[in-house]
Amino acid sequence: MTPPPARRRRTAASGTTPTHTLPRRGAVRRAQAITTYGVGSLIAVDQESFIVSGLDEADQSWNTDESPRISERRLARLLGVNHFRLPPASDDTSKDGLRVRRFPLMHSCPECTELQRHGDFNPPPGRSICDTCEVDLVPSRFVVACEAGHLGEFPYWQWVHRSPDRGGSTTTKCGGRLKLRSSGRTSSLRSILVSCSCGQAPEVSMEGSFRRNALRDLGLKCRGTRPWLGTSAVAQECGLPLRTLQRGSSSVWQPVLKSALSIPPWSNRRADPLDGHWEKLRKYEDRASVEIYLDAVFDDEWPVSLDEVMTLLAAEREEDPDGDVTPTFDHRYRALRSKEYERLRAGNDESEHTRDEQFICETPLGDRSVLDPLGVTGPMLVKKLREVRALKAFTRLIDAESTTDSKEMPLSEGQLRWLPAMEVHGEGVFLRLDEDRLGAWEKAPAVAARVERMRMAHQRVLDERAGDQRQPVPSPATPRMVLLHTLAHVLINEWSLEAGYPAASLRERLYADDDMAGVLVYTATSDSAGSLGGLVAQGEPDLLARTVRSAVHRAEWCSSDPLCMETEASGTGGANLAACHACVMLPETSCEHNNTLLDRALLVGTADDPHVGYFAEMPGH
């Protein structure tokens, strides 16, 4: 990672722009640039703190060799971009990388206890030390943010000079110098003391600064600052309430990630040269018009035949929602998932696989009838898959699942025609639940009542986090969704024990809707754990039946029982029932829903009502 230049580059004597060397400030993995340290996030490097810069200048700073383009038309259309780019490498030989800016600017010196902006300490170039004491400066532990995604410095001056009744702050600058020290008596906020040399205000602690209304009581509202875009970004008056956060808190930055599997006819990579042309090609209905356009765009031989282009256009239009109503983002995302579900069900056994084919899904050779008593059907061996995960935006204070577009902060000030993304190549096992048995089970009053409790609790959490009651985000909790979600978790835990996979290297992909009831478990990492080659073998009917039986039997008992099974609510906001870290919860990288909407009672039943469990009638249960 490298910080941006502090000033405009000067022109050399030859009239060319000299190459500037930016200091390296650490390294992150490419995947972390999407999931952990994406645009707008804070990152600590040694004793310093930085914020990852926006993408407005990334077209020039990201080297094309180290940051190649990624094509995935279905996801690009969903997100309204032409293509994606892999974040730049951070190897020792890399030419450039992610740009960062120093944030927060407020620092303190542990020796002289001065609290002021970083530049006021007059540090030597490239270092972060106090010019007087020659010790490392400490970045402010506290920042402020609003639910619209803006981020700012903690208002230390207003906090010190607030009125004694805590009902407002002094507006006239006193000319004093702030100091910050720790009393050392405890590790709480009460021991962090801030004072001003003006003598007009007593020394105060940081206790109470995290109250929801603490900054509103000072008359402070969000000013719309966006430090990741630099000083040139114009602050837009926001007016939303500000909240105090720890600099390293997970609430400071939450990524909005969207993903898609590469499925035929897009999975052979032959359509990649047409990136950027699809919006215009969609306007033409007949072959003659498409042919004229391709002739005008490509001087030499076409990269894709006319028949293939027409096939791709037809496949794209199949994902268009029916009706004349303008489709929302959620409608398009469901259509994307629905098409994946159809392809996973059908497979591509009969197709001639080329070397470039990224999706190979075949029917297992064993007798699939052994799964019928379990209520499981249609297993498929996904021997090869490619998933593209793109960073669409980010949020602060509120969970990404509970947001609308108005609460998401874009990655750049200007309009971008690309987004950062990563691709994962792996394998997986796809299975479905028997529709007849599932339909009868989910209509049971006891099942519906149990899931309704979870749905209401989850809906309350979503409403509180979204903050905009005019655009409610509905909870996805349904009996089949919770059942599939919990089943995926117990299968991942079982395969981590039996097949040698770390649970964090496996990931779920749920297909739960009125006409979908399937789950895909696949390798989720690009390291060696994602290429062991043993996951597909677990999808053979005999092995899969044994795995399902073992997973369900293991879910019958938790080391926290009877408390776990009999709890009335668990998890964030009570969105779980019988689920804890000792039984069905997974690493967050493996779960699509942040370990919410889980209930193993829907698998195995309860002592009072065994028939609540979908697998209650499983032989040997």
Side-chain angles (χ1 to χ4, degrees), residues 34-47:
I34 301 294
T35 58
T36 310
Y37 300 124
V39 171
S41 65
L42 296 182
I43 178 171
V45 180
D46 296 329
Q47 302 295 324

Side-chain angles (χ1 to χ4, degrees), residues 500-513:
Y501 282 90
S505 71
L506 300 178
R507 185 175 173 86
E508 67 182 7
R509 193 167 180 87
L510 304 180
Y511 299 92
D513 209 338

Side-chain angles (χ1 to χ4, degrees), residues 435-453:
E435 287 286 355
D436 295 334
R437 180 168 167 176
L438 179 62
W441 171 83
E442 62 187 355
K443 292 178 182 176
V447 172
R450 194 171 180 90
V451 174
E452 181 62 16
R453 286 162 51 193

Side-chain angles (χ1 to χ4, degrees), residues 105-416:
L105 295 180
M106 293 297 290
H107 284 61
S108 61
C109 175
E111 291 290 335
C112 62
T113 70
E114 291 280 350
L115 174 65
Q116 57 190 357
R117 295 174 70 87
H118 183 269
D120 294 337
F121 284 99
N122 196 27
R127 301 188 63 186
S128 181
I129 63 173
C130 176
D131 185 51
T132 303
C133 306
E134 296 187 349
V135 297
D136 289 330
L137 296 174
V138 179
S140 170
R141 285 176 51 187
F142 311 106
V143 295
V144 295
C146 77
E147 291 186 353
H150 300 115
L151 187 69
E153 306 274 354
F154 182 82
Y156 288 102
W157 191 89
Q158 288 88 341
W159 184 252
V160 171
H161 294 85
R162 67 188 190 273
S163 59
D165 60 0
R166 309 177 77 90
S169 62
T170 306
T171 57
T172 305
K173 288 291 184 180
C174 63
R177 299 173 68 88
L178 295 176
K179 290 182 176 291
L180 183 146
R181 69 180 183 89
S182 174
S183 66
R185 296 178 180 176
T186 67
S187 58
S188 67
L189 293 175
R190 183 178 300 178
S191 294
I192 302 176
L193 305 173
V194 185
S195 62
C196 182
S197 62
C198 68
Q200 300 177 14
E203 186 177 52
V204 298
S205 74
M206 292 296 294
E207 186 178 23
S209 59
F210 282 77
R211 289 187 301 110
R212 180 175 291 271
N213 296 327
L215 300 181
R216 188 178 67 178
D217 293 342
L218 299 180
L220 299 177
K221 292 184 178 180
C222 179
R223 299 172 56 190
T225 52
R226 297 174 291 174
W228 62 95
L229 298 179
T231 56
S232 61
V234 179
Q236 301 174 350
E237 194 66 29
C238 175
L240 288 177
L242 287 170
R243 291 282 302 277
T244 303
L245 296 172
Q246 289 266 21
R247 173 164 48 89
S249 169
S250 60
S251 297
V252 171
W253 189 83
Q254 291 280 344
V256 180
L257 297 173
K258 298 299 176 184
S259 67
L261 300 181
S262 295
I263 60 174
W266 305 94
S267 53
N268 58 13
R269 310 296 296 273
R270 288 179 54 82
D272 292 0
L274 295 178
D275 285 347
H277 297 286
W278 290 110
E279 293 301 324
K280 294 182 179 179
L281 285 170
R282 277 177 58 88
K283 298 177 181 178
Y284 305 119
E285 298 287 344
D286 58 288
R287 294 173 60 91
S289 299
V290 173
E291 184 176 8
I292 293 173
Y293 179 84
L294 294 176
D295 268 333
V297 172
F298 299 102
D299 296 331
D300 301 324
E301 183 180 355
W302 297 350
V304 184
S305 68
L306 181 59
D307 288 338
E308 287 179 292
V309 173
M310 299 307 296
T311 300
L312 292 169
L313 286 172
E316 185 172 282
R317 293 188 177 106
E318 287 180 2
E319 296 191 23
D320 291 338
D322 297 330
D324 297 331
V325 180
T326 303
T328 65
F329 183 87
D330 291 336
H331 290 152
R332 292 190 180 277
Y333 200 47
R334 283 197 295 270
L336 181 145
R337 286 292 183 102
S338 178
K339 187 58 64 175
E340 290 178 4
Y341 182 73
E342 292 178 13
R343 180 56 66 175
L344 287 167
R345 287 190 61 175
N348 56 351
D349 294 8
E350 305 300 328
S351 63
E352 295 182 2
H353 301 148
T354 64
R355 179 178 298 181
D356 295 328
E357 179 60 50
Q358 301 293 320
F359 181 85
I360 300 178
C361 181
E362 299 180 351
T363 306
L365 298 176
D367 183 11
R368 293 188 287 176
S369 63
V370 298
L371 293 168
D372 293 343
L374 306 179
V376 176
T377 185
M380 299 294 286
L381 308 181
V382 187
K383 295 185 176 181
K384 191 175 182 181
L385 63 80
R386 171 180 179 260
E387 182 194 22
V388 175
R389 301 176 197 159
L391 178 62
K392 175 177 180 279
F394 64 88
T395 64
R396 305 195 196 277
L397 294 175
I398 53 180
D399 189 81
E401 286 190 1
S402 62
T403 63
T404 58
D405 288 341
S406 61
K407 294 288 186 178
E408 295 176 357
M409 183 60 68
L411 308 181
S412 62
E413 188 171 16
Q415 184 70 26
L416 280 182

